[in-house]
Amino acid sequence: DIPIGVELNDMVLYFSPLVHQNFLITGDMGSGIKTFIKSFVISLIFRMKDNFGLILCDFYNEFEDLKYLPNLFYPVNKKVEGLDDIFDELTVELEKRLNIINEYGTDNYLNLNKTLINKKMEEVKPIFVIINNLDELRKKNYNLHNKALYFLKFGYKVGIHLIMINRSYGIDSSILSNTKTKLLFKTANPDLSYEVISSANGCSLIGNGDALFVHELNIYHLQLPFISDGDFHRVISKFVLN
């Protein structure tokens, strides 16, 4: 489980892969989304070391700092069209993993890994696909939503998790209904807040990592990490590049 942030009563909330499955992250520029993604990736590294893969589709060029990570499966993808090929390759990987899961009589990749460890075989590494930003998919290639939907429904069982960033009103309803877990950061747009949590409470958040964590019908008020770029670079240089 990956630590996310601290609730108001000091309880730490975690991202549990098979429970939370995927992430839809929404909020205005400057609300803390970019910093949260960086801190989430660092948490993955501390928890899992090199035992995971990362795919970064950065259409807004906000995560230049992550391009040096050894966990990247591909170079950072900066064009919407490139996501089409990535989804096609991931579809092949998903089907291969499903066959292995069925072969060993398990129901998900975590249980499969327990079996593989007992047999002293290589584990299946989870893959986290960060898509920044869904707005660009709507503008340039709406059909990619259908491919994203396929992974939202089936990917988490084989260890393929989508982390989707959105900053404007108009999220596809099928994406919303098939994403169990959402993070809402501060937004000045009440329509965007209503779209995610059915209320305007997102407009009352104060920014700097103040967020609402939504899982199915449960909503938690969280403080997420909000670190400086300098601190992030020090962590990366000390614990990642070395």
Side-chain angles (χ1 to χ4, degrees):
D1 290 350
I2 310 302
I4 297 297
V6 179
E7 201 186 359
L8 294 184
N9 62 3
D10 288 336
M11 180 180 73
V12 178
L13 260 68
Y14 295 83
F15 174 83
S16 184
L18 294 181
V19 174
H20 300 124
Q21 303 177 3
N22 306 283
F23 254 140
L24 175 64
I25 303 174
T26 305
D28 293 345
M29 294 290 292
S31 60
I33 292 177
K34 183 170 69 172
T35 303
F36 168 72
I37 291 294
K38 291 181 177 181
S39 65
F40 184 78
V41 170
I42 289 176
S43 295
L44 287 174
I45 292 169
F46 273 95
R47 285 284 192 181
M48 307 175 72
K49 304 200 184 304
D50 62 348
N51 200 30
F52 73 96
L54 185 65
I55 295 175
L56 180 56
C57 300
D58 188 16
F59 311 135
Y60 281 17
N61 200 31
E62 292 185 282
F63 298 107
E64 186 73 11
D65 298 333
L66 301 181
K67 69 180 182 182
Y68 300 109
L69 293 180
N71 305 77
L72 284 176
F73 272 6
Y74 310 101
V76 176
N77 170 44
K78 297 185 178 182
K79 296 183 178 180
V80 171
E81 296 77 14
L83 182 57
D84 208 4
D85 293 333
I86 289 172
F87 274 155
D88 288 344
E89 291 186 30
L90 283 177
T91 299
V92 174
E93 180 66 19
L94 183 149
E95 292 171 352
K96 182 177 77 173
R97 293 184 177 198
L98 279 178
N99 289 334
I100 298 173
I101 287 172
N102 293 332
E103 178 184 346
Y104 285 95
T106 58
D107 54 356
N108 61 67
Y109 79 101
L110 293 180
N111 288 334
L112 171 64
N113 281 342
K114 295 176 183 177
T115 301
L116 296 177
I117 289 172
N118 289 335
K119 293 180 178 291
K120 297 183 178 180
M121 298 172 64
E122 185 178 358
E123 298 175 62
V124 172
K125 293 183 179 182
I127 301 171
F128 293 86
V129 185
I130 300 174
I131 302 174
N132 180 35
N133 188 308
L134 288 185
D135 302 345
E136 289 298 302
L137 300 192
R138 283 196 291 273
K139 294 175 186 175
K140 296 182 179 179
N141 192 333
Y142 196 82
N143 290 329
L144 280 173
H145 275 81
N146 293 329
K147 291 190 175 183
L149 189 60
Y150 176 70
F151 288 98
L152 289 175
K153 288 182 176 180
F154 304 110
Y156 71 95
K157 292 184 179 180
V158 302
I160 300 175
H161 305 279
L162 299 191
I163 300 174
M164 304 168 294
I165 298 171
N166 180 84
R167 288 198 174 94
S168 65
Y169 173 74
I171 306 170
D172 184 78
S173 59
S174 59
I175 296 287
L176 277 171
S177 60
N178 283 281
T179 308
K180 286 188 174 184
T181 307
K182 305 170 182 70
L183 264 179
L184 177 64
F185 288 75
K186 179 177 176 58
T187 177
N189 185 345
D191 290 335
L192 180 58
S193 181
Y194 268 100
E195 191 171 46
V196 178
I197 61 171
S198 301
S199 81
N201 288 343
C203 299
S204 302
L205 297 170
I206 62 174
N208 292 349
D210 189 27
L212 299 176
F213 178 91
V214 184
H215 178 64
E216 295 183 328
L217 298 178
N218 299 311
I219 300 178
Y220 305 90
H221 192 179
L222 293 183
Q223 177 60 48
L224 304 174
F226 198 83
I227 60 175
S228 69
D229 286 341
D231 287 338
F232 175 79
H233 291 148
R234 281 192 287 274
V235 171
I236 290 297
S237 62
K238 185 173 180 63
F239 294 101
V240 179
L241 297 183
N242 293 336

